[in-house]
């Protein structure tokens, strides 16, 4: 009798194990949201567009939210260090959200550098940039409406100065900063960003595993913030700066968002793209050139 029971137990264990493996092979159950029509619509947008919209949206929600909390509380619920944590952690979560889908560039300067070094097809570059600007703009609107009452109670919508709030969304230079120094600041900051990005994702170097890369990238942005954030807020990302700037112009801050700081608005677009190509090229020339030719794999 006991022998028969043992055989029954073994059969039960085998059936449970087989069922478990079948469920694992099938993957997680499909959400009821993923109807055939929805799947067709999302696939039409493409993984690059969808991934970049989501990743950039997530990044900007955390980063702008940290800025808003610090500014609107006049430093009582945030400070320079917490703002840098917000941006760094935003990068990390954005990478986890869409890194396996689009690469989670979240930054036109990153996408341009990837295309320049043949990590991204040139035909995909406009798609990525459009998605990044869209995600940034949507996040700007969301943060504005979440903090709408706080913005209203803070006072008039001033761009700069002691009561300036436009800096929650876009970056503005310190009063002493010249255009030339601001341009250099953004070239250096974005150059360091892309040098670090290429190093972190380089499988032929001391690259962390896929699960740890987002943490390393978030730490990289945090490091740039605490090192080069004083002059003009370390935009290092055209989508992070220009889309929110356009939003503030629409939302009531007016045209001054483009004329403030000696018309600083173009520097976080041009200087960041130049710095990104320069920083990534420095890594390729000094490090990647030493990799065996056969082992050189695209980063995307």
């Amino acid at each position: 009798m006991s022998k028969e029971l043992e055989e029954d137990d073994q059969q039960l264990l085998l059936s449970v194990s087989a069922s478990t493996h079948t469920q694992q092979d099938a993957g997680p159950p499909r959400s009821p949201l993923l109807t055939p029509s929805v799947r067709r619509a999302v696939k039409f947008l493409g993984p690059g567009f969808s991934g970049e919209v989501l990743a950039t949206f997530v990044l900007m929600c955390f980063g702008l939210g940290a800025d808003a909390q610090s500014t609107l509380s006049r430093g009582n619920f945030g400070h320079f260090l917490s703002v840098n944590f917000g941006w760094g952690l935003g990068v990390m979560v954005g990478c986890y959200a869409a890194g396996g889908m689009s690469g989670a560039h979240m930054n036109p300067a990153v996408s341009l550098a990837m295309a320049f070094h043949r990590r991204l097809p040139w035909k995909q570059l406009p798609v990525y940039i459009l998605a990044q600007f869209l995600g940034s703009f949507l996040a700007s609107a969301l943060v504005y409406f979440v903090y709408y009452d706080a913005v209203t109670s803070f006072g008039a919508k001033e761009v700069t100065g002691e009561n300036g709030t436009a800096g929650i969304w876009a970056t503005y230079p310190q009063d002493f900063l010249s255009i030339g120094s601001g341009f250099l600041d953004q070239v250096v900051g974005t150059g360091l960003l892309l040098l670090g990005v290429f190093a972190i994702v380089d499988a032929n170097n001391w690259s962390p595993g896929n699960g740890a890369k987002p943490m390393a990238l978030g730490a990289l942005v945090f490091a740039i913030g605490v090192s080069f954030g004083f002059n003009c807020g370390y935009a290092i990302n055209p989508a992070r700066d220009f889309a929110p700037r356009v939003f503030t112009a629409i939302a009531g801050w007016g045209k001054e968002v483009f004329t403030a700081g000696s018309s600083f608005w173009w520097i976080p677009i041009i200087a960041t793209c130049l710095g990104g190509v320069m920083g990534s090229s420095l890594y390729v020339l000094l490090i990647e050139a030493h990799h065996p030719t056969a082992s050189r794999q695209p980063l995307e």
Side-chain angles (χ1 to χ4, degrees), residues 107-114 116-117 186-195 198 236 269-283:
N107 184 341
V110 173
S111 298
L112 176 62
M114 292 294 183
F116 182 83
H117 294 289
Q186 288 302 289
V187 168
V188 170
T190 316
L192 290 171
L193 172 67
L194 265 298
L195 190 154
F198 269 53
I236 60 174
I269 299 175
I270 304 300
T272 55
C273 290
L274 176 62
V277 172
M278 291 174 64
S280 57
S281 297
L282 185 64
Y283 182 84

Side-chain angles (χ1 to χ4, degrees), residues 4 8 23 35 60 82 87 124 167 236-237 256 262 266 295:
E4 292 177 355
D8 289 342
Q23 292 177 0
T35 62
M60 296 300 293
S82 69
W87 285 106
Q124 284 291 313
I236 60 174
N237 181 343
E256 190 184 347
S262 301
W266 62 274
S295 68

Side-chain angles (χ1 to χ4, degrees), residues 192-233:
L192 290 171
L193 172 67
L194 265 298
L195 190 154
V197 167
F198 269 53
I200 290 167
V201 302
D202 185 0
N204 294 302
N205 206 334
W206 280 8
S207 174
N210 286 340
K213 285 176 183 176
M215 291 184 282
L217 292 168
L220 170 63
V221 170
F222 176 83
I224 294 171
V226 297
S227 303
F228 295 97
F230 176 57
N231 278 339
C232 48

Side-chain angles (χ1 to χ4, degrees), residues 144 156-159 166 245-257:
Y144 175 76
K157 290 181 177 178
E158 298 181 17
V159 174
R245 195 180 297 271
V246 171
F247 174 80
T248 52
I250 297 170
W253 281 266
K255 295 180 181 178
E256 190 184 347
V257 300

Side-chain angles (χ1 to χ4, degrees), residues 123-190:
K123 65 180 180 181
Q124 284 291 313
L125 182 60
V127 176
Y128 270 57
I129 292 176
L130 177 61
Q132 291 154 1
F133 276 99
L134 177 59
S136 181
F137 188 88
L138 293 174
S140 299
L142 178 63
V143 171
Y144 175 76
F145 288 117
V146 168
Y147 281 103
Y148 178 80
D149 291 342
V151 171
T152 302
S153 64
F154 196 83
K157 290 181 177 178
E158 298 181 17
V159 174
T160 57
E162 185 178 348
N163 295 315
T165 49
I168 293 172
W169 284 272
T171 61
Y172 295 89
Q174 298 282 359
D175 292 337
F176 59 78
L177 194 70
S178 67
I179 289 294
S181 294
F183 194 94
L184 177 63
D185 177 279
Q186 288 302 289
V187 168
V188 170
T190 316

